[in-house]
Amino acid sequence: MIFTTLGTMGGPVANPQRSQPAHLLHNNKQAILIDAGDGTIAQLTKAGVSLQAIHTIILSHGHIDHTGGLFAVLGTRFQEPVASELTIYGPPGTQQMIDGIIAGLQPLIRTMPARVPTSTPNALQCNVIEITDGSLFTIGSTRITAATNSHYSFKPGSKNAFLYQSLSYRFDMPDRSLVYTGDTGPSPNVERLAHHADLLVSEVIDPQAGMDKARKSHRIPFYVKLILMNHLKKQHLTAEAVGSLAQCANVKALVLIHNALDTEDIAIARRTIGLHYHGPITFASDLESF
Amino acid sequence: MKNKLSGVLRKKLWFIPIIIIVIRLALIGGTIFGKNSLLISVAAIVVLLVLVVTVQAGLFSGQKQQRDDTQSILMDVGDGVAEQLAKVGLTLASVHTIMISHLDIEHTGGLYAILGMRFQERITGELTIYGPPGTQQMVDGMIAGLQPQVNCSQAMFARIPIAAKRRVQARVVEVANDSTFTIEAIRITTASSTPDETDNAASAHVVSYRFDMPDTRSLLHTDDVVRSSNVERLAQKVNLLTYTLNHRMMP
């Protein structure tokens, strides 16, 4: 299956060049949507993949940049209508989120029968499966493993650490293996998951650049800046951390997404990663395939 | 610069906000520095305090944020609208009003992301959403869907009182035919119509909005495909008409 980036932006501040996080794992028969940020519908069209082809959505975590497009995806499925079944995998909380979205679509649903008789509320039904660390499931001939990562800072073993999880995924396909970090900080769990993967698709961040983006967007309180800086440093991967992850996990190739870096910063990040990891490194744009 | 600094210091009550800031910083110290020693927290608070005072006095005015005073009204809010805003150089924070013509998904799909982004980016200004009947229920559903994220944020920042209270907020105004209201000196008049006049309850209400601006320009935003006397009346002598063609979902 081919991995196609739909959105390679990092963080929720909208960007004119990079769409919000969403990716596809697809062949000519099936398509799996991995995360669904705002603009997913338009990006799918640009990638030439129809909504009908998508039978599975896999969510890494609930942050809005990774889930903001779900209302449009479910609503468009209902309105078109798309008859195929949809299964959504995600961390705990996914069911509650989908329930809310479907509740929000009720006013639209009420208006539909008079206009599009083939569109029944059944078109909205989707099968939500909440997963956690170590969950294993199979889609077609792809075996998928989930692992919790360090994007959320709750104390391991605490109730909150169970309620709010951010997941990384490994896709073992017949011909190759791919690991998607989602959003994470340095994490031994992700390193284990990525061990000897053919392709590591990883987030990357520059804490200072991320901070500047947030500040340019609008005025934020002083204490928020402190929290944000801490979050960017510890719960995301700097270039150095990505290089170290790729090297320790001994992956064959590295693709970088979730990228809020400017062109100059990318050149610096590439050099920094190269100090640790000596395999091929690609900074992906939207709509690139691997 | 010196004048500004002494101006701040001369004010008799200058120490009150500073004390509040110190208490606030002490509260968040644990979150910022984890389990490191108290000493680091205290030292950091002192340093930050000095920074706050100097920044407030305008000593680093070059680094001070320019406040974005641009104001935007969104008319309809399809999927990806946040990125489209960025493409025309507008921030999400500039959007204070959203007007929805009807509830078909290509006109509403981006609202869920906007509500969530406003929460995650900590945009504090009020957002008002005008729309046809059903808009409140739709927004309520979206807010329910965002609840796990709100809970997560509240749990993460439980030690910071302000952050722990944040939620997703939007004021919804469901508009009927011939409503009139004013936003930033723009007078807005609405016309409501239903594609299927025989069954109001089950069919989609479409709201058309007429904007009469202070410079005498006027604009009509309509997505109506059915000939409607309401909309025709509203369109009298309008300067600019935006009209959606080839609307395939309507009968």
Side-chain angles (χ1 to χ4, degrees), chain B residues 215-228:
Chain B
D215 58 3
T216 73
R217 278 203 316 151
S218 54
L219 182 152
L220 180 72
H221 177 66
T222 181
D223 207 297
D224 193 13
V225 288
V226 180
R227 243 181 111 85
S228 157

Side-chain angles (χ1 to χ4, degrees), chain B residues 73 99 130 171 180-189 212:
Chain B
I73 298 174
M99 292 180 175
Y130 295 87
R171 189 169 75 94
T180 305
F181 46 94
T182 305
I183 299 170
E184 306 289 327
I186 301 171
R187 197 159 55 88
I188 293 139
T189 321
D212 283 293

Side-chain angles (χ1 to χ4, degrees), chain A residues 62-92:
Chain A
H63 275 158
I64 194 68
D65 44 332
H66 296 254
T67 56
L70 279 174
F71 187 84
V73 167
L74 293 189
T76 310
R77 272 179 59 86
F78 168 74
Q79 193 172 303
E80 292 227 327
V82 175
S84 61
E85 255 184 48
L86 179 69
T87 306
I88 301 175
Y89 294 90

Side-chain angles (χ1 to χ4, degrees), chain B residues 227-247:
Chain B
R227 243 181 111 85
S228 157
S229 52
N230 286 346
V231 178
E232 278 176 14
R233 262 198 307 280
L234 196 68
Q236 298 277 320
K237 291 186 183 166
V238 77
N239 291 134
L240 183 65
L241 176 69
T242 64
Y243 195 93
T244 308
L245 287 173
N246 293 328
H247 200 304

Side-chain angles (χ1 to χ4, degrees), chain A residues 12 14 20 38-41 62-64 71 79 97 100 104 107-108 110-111 115-116 164 215 217-218 224 227, chain B residues 65 79-80 82-83 91 103-106 112 117 120-122 134 137-138 141-142 145 149 151 157 160 202 249:
Chain A
Q20 295 270 291
D38 187 37
T40 294
I41 295 276
H63 275 158
I64 194 68
F71 187 84
Q79 193 172 303
M97 174 176 65
L108 172 66
R110 273 204 308 275
T111 72
R115 297 186 288 153
V116 186
Y164 312 112
R215 286 172 58 185
S217 161
H218 58 284
V224 172
I227 292 169
Chain B
Q65 279 308 293
D79 184 42
E83 283 71 41
T91 64
L103 300 183
D104 279 359
I105 194 71
E106 71 274 19
Y112 181 74
M117 283 170 168
Q120 205 169 315
E121 292 178 36
R122 296 174 168 78
Q137 193 187 355
M138 177 182 72
M142 289 177 173
Q149 271 326 289
N151 293 345
F157 303 116
I160 308 165
M249 293 315 296

Side-chain angles (χ1 to χ4, degrees), chain B residues 24-73:
Chain B
R24 192 181 293 171
L25 288 174
L27 280 168
I28 64 176
T31 308
I32 306 288
F33 301 104
K35 287 174 187 155
N36 290 357
S37 70
L38 188 66
L39 201 65
I40 295 177
S41 285
V42 172
I45 285 168
V46 171
V47 172
L48 295 175
L49 196 54
V50 172
L51 265 173
V52 169
V53 172
T54 46
V55 168
Q56 288 204 337
L59 283 183
F60 298 137
S61 55
Q63 293 178 9
K64 254 179 134 178
Q65 279 308 293
Q66 290 292 315
R67 188 166 203 153
D68 182 5
D69 284 328
T70 315
Q71 301 208 318
S72 319
I73 298 174

Side-chain angles (χ1 to χ4, degrees), chain A residues 3 36 120 134 150 155 161 164 231 249 251-252 259:
Chain A
F3 180 85
T120 65
S150 59
K155 195 176 154 205
Y164 312 112
H231 167 72
V251 299
K252 294 208 179 74
N259 178 353

